[in-house]
Amino acid sequence: MKDKIFYNGNIITMTGENDTVEAVLIRNGKIEKTGSLSDVKGCSSQAELVNLDGKTLMPSFVDGHSHFASIGKMEKTTVDLMDCKNFDEIVERIKAFIKKYNIPEGKVVSGRGYDHNELEEKTSPTKEILDMASSKHPIIVSHVSGHIGCVNTLALKLKGITRETQYKEGGVICHDEQGEVTGVLEEGAFFDMRALAEKPSKEEEKELILAGQEVYAKYGITTVQNGGAYAADTKLLTELAQEDKYKLDVVSYMMFAVTSKEEMEKYKEYQGKYVNHFKIGGYKLFMDGSPQCKTAWLSRPYEGEKEYCGYPILTDEQALSYIQRAIDENQQLLVHCNGDQASEQF
């Protein structure tokens, strides 16, 4: 690998005072020398000179919280609803997606990114609204937080959800004043609904994961996190490592609620150290939901509510059991607790 000297740009070392330099020498993929251009040139007479033409060069970013395995899928296979201003735009965006890709009747259509706080209606679309986009495709639309979503009538029917259905723990099936299911689902109830979506083949899924890698890379993120991996995700991620497909460092955390000690031990070689840029960092545990959709657990009622404070996912006993197990297994534990009461519980 040939030495490279980068110069003629805004080179920021992030080392404190006087943290800009004229040039930087890269040798064998690592920073060897920073300083004046003449000093750096003196360390490598045969180096390739790279003129930055005034651009900024700085250390890359470390991702503190995201879901690496799903980024490519979100970018490539779902309807982007992030900038929709009202229900009409959501309906038209879904209709256009179905038409553009000629999606056959009966196949699930997924959307992502609406924010009820930014919609003119100030609430989530109901099943009736999504039926206007299509009554012949199951439609599953995720809120920007990922913690709630809404579905149409056909999706509810396929999942067997009726007005009598009650989600047992860690989630809510929403009803209107007459007791009818609205199509809005919270937390675990929504996560379960997403299982209706047709899974791509293993090779297609790998391609989508690697497409996600490119999204991180273009923003200068070189260490990425996969927060909350299920068994199938971990199998794919480790296979990509075995195939040496990563150019970024990927650290993944297993979804604690569904991962046994035996399942974790299957991937012992990836724990605590990178193998071909991939490692398993430990477990991910969820203790509440999202403040944007009022499922985060607070100590005081939300604005505009008399008593409603969100809700916990775990009892104290369940939480203590998980945390004790992580300690016993010597595993790092990432805990999702957005609300102050969930933080207090943790």
Side-chain angles (χ1 to χ4, degrees), residues 103-158:
I103 299 174
E105 293 180 1
K107 187 173 180 179
V108 172
V109 176
S110 297
R112 64 178 175 87
Y114 82 91
D115 185 347
H116 68 287
N117 297 298
E118 300 296 329
L119 296 178
E120 292 170 4
E121 295 84 357
K122 298 300 179 184
T123 188
S124 292
T126 61
K127 61 185 179 182
E128 291 82 7
I129 298 298
L130 296 182
D131 286 344
M132 294 168 63
S134 176
S135 61
K136 296 181 179 178
H137 298 82
I139 297 175
I140 304 171
V141 172
S142 173
H143 185 269
V144 66
S145 69
H147 283 258
I148 69 168
C150 43
V151 302
N152 68 347
T153 303
L154 182 55
L156 290 169
K157 183 178 179 182
L158 290 174

Side-chain angles (χ1 to χ4, degrees), residues 207-243:
E207 288 177 9
L208 290 170
I209 290 172
L210 294 177
Q213 180 173 229
E214 297 303 318
V215 175
Y216 286 89
K218 76 178 182 180
Y219 288 109
I221 301 169
T222 57
T223 298
V224 302
Q225 185 189 119
N226 188 61
Y230 292 94
D233 300 324
T234 304
K235 191 170 188 301
L236 285 172
L237 290 168
T238 52
E239 285 183 9
L240 286 168
Q242 290 163 3
E243 296 164 12

Side-chain angles (χ1 to χ4, degrees), residues 19 34 52 55 63 72 79-80 88 118 144 169 171-172 176 195-196 198 218 227 233 237 248 284 298 307 314 326 346:
D19 62 351
T34 63
L52 293 171
K55 296 183 177 67
D63 163 34
V79 190
D80 184 356
D88 288 342
E118 300 296 329
V144 66
E169 58 181 51
V172 172
D176 61 20
L196 278 181
E198 182 179 334
K218 76 178 182 180
D233 300 324
L237 290 168
L248 310 179
K284 177 74 176 284
L298 307 183
E307 297 181 356
L314 304 172
F346 176 47

Side-chain angles (χ1 to χ4, degrees), residues 265-335:
E265 287 179 346
K266 289 181 184 178
Y267 303 101
K268 195 169 184 178
E269 65 179 297
Y270 296 99
Q271 293 178 30
K273 62 179 180 180
Y274 286 105
V275 177
N276 291 339
H277 295 282
F278 176 78
K279 75 174 178 179
I280 292 174
Y283 290 118
K284 177 74 176 284
L285 183 67
F286 285 82
M287 297 184 81
D288 73 340
S290 162
Q292 296 110 308
C293 40
K294 298 185 177 181
T295 58
W297 188 24
L298 307 183
S299 61
R300 294 182 294 175
Y302 280 90
E303 183 177 357
E305 301 283 350
K306 291 183 178 179
E307 297 181 356
Y308 178 74
C309 300
Y311 48 87
I313 289 176
L314 304 172
T315 65
D316 287 353
E317 291 75 19
Q318 288 172 322
L320 185 60
S321 175
Y322 280 120
I323 290 170
Q324 185 61 57
R325 187 182 138 195
I327 292 169
D328 291 344
E329 295 180 26
N330 196 31
Q331 294 289 354
Q332 184 182 11
L333 180 62
L334 298 191
V335 180

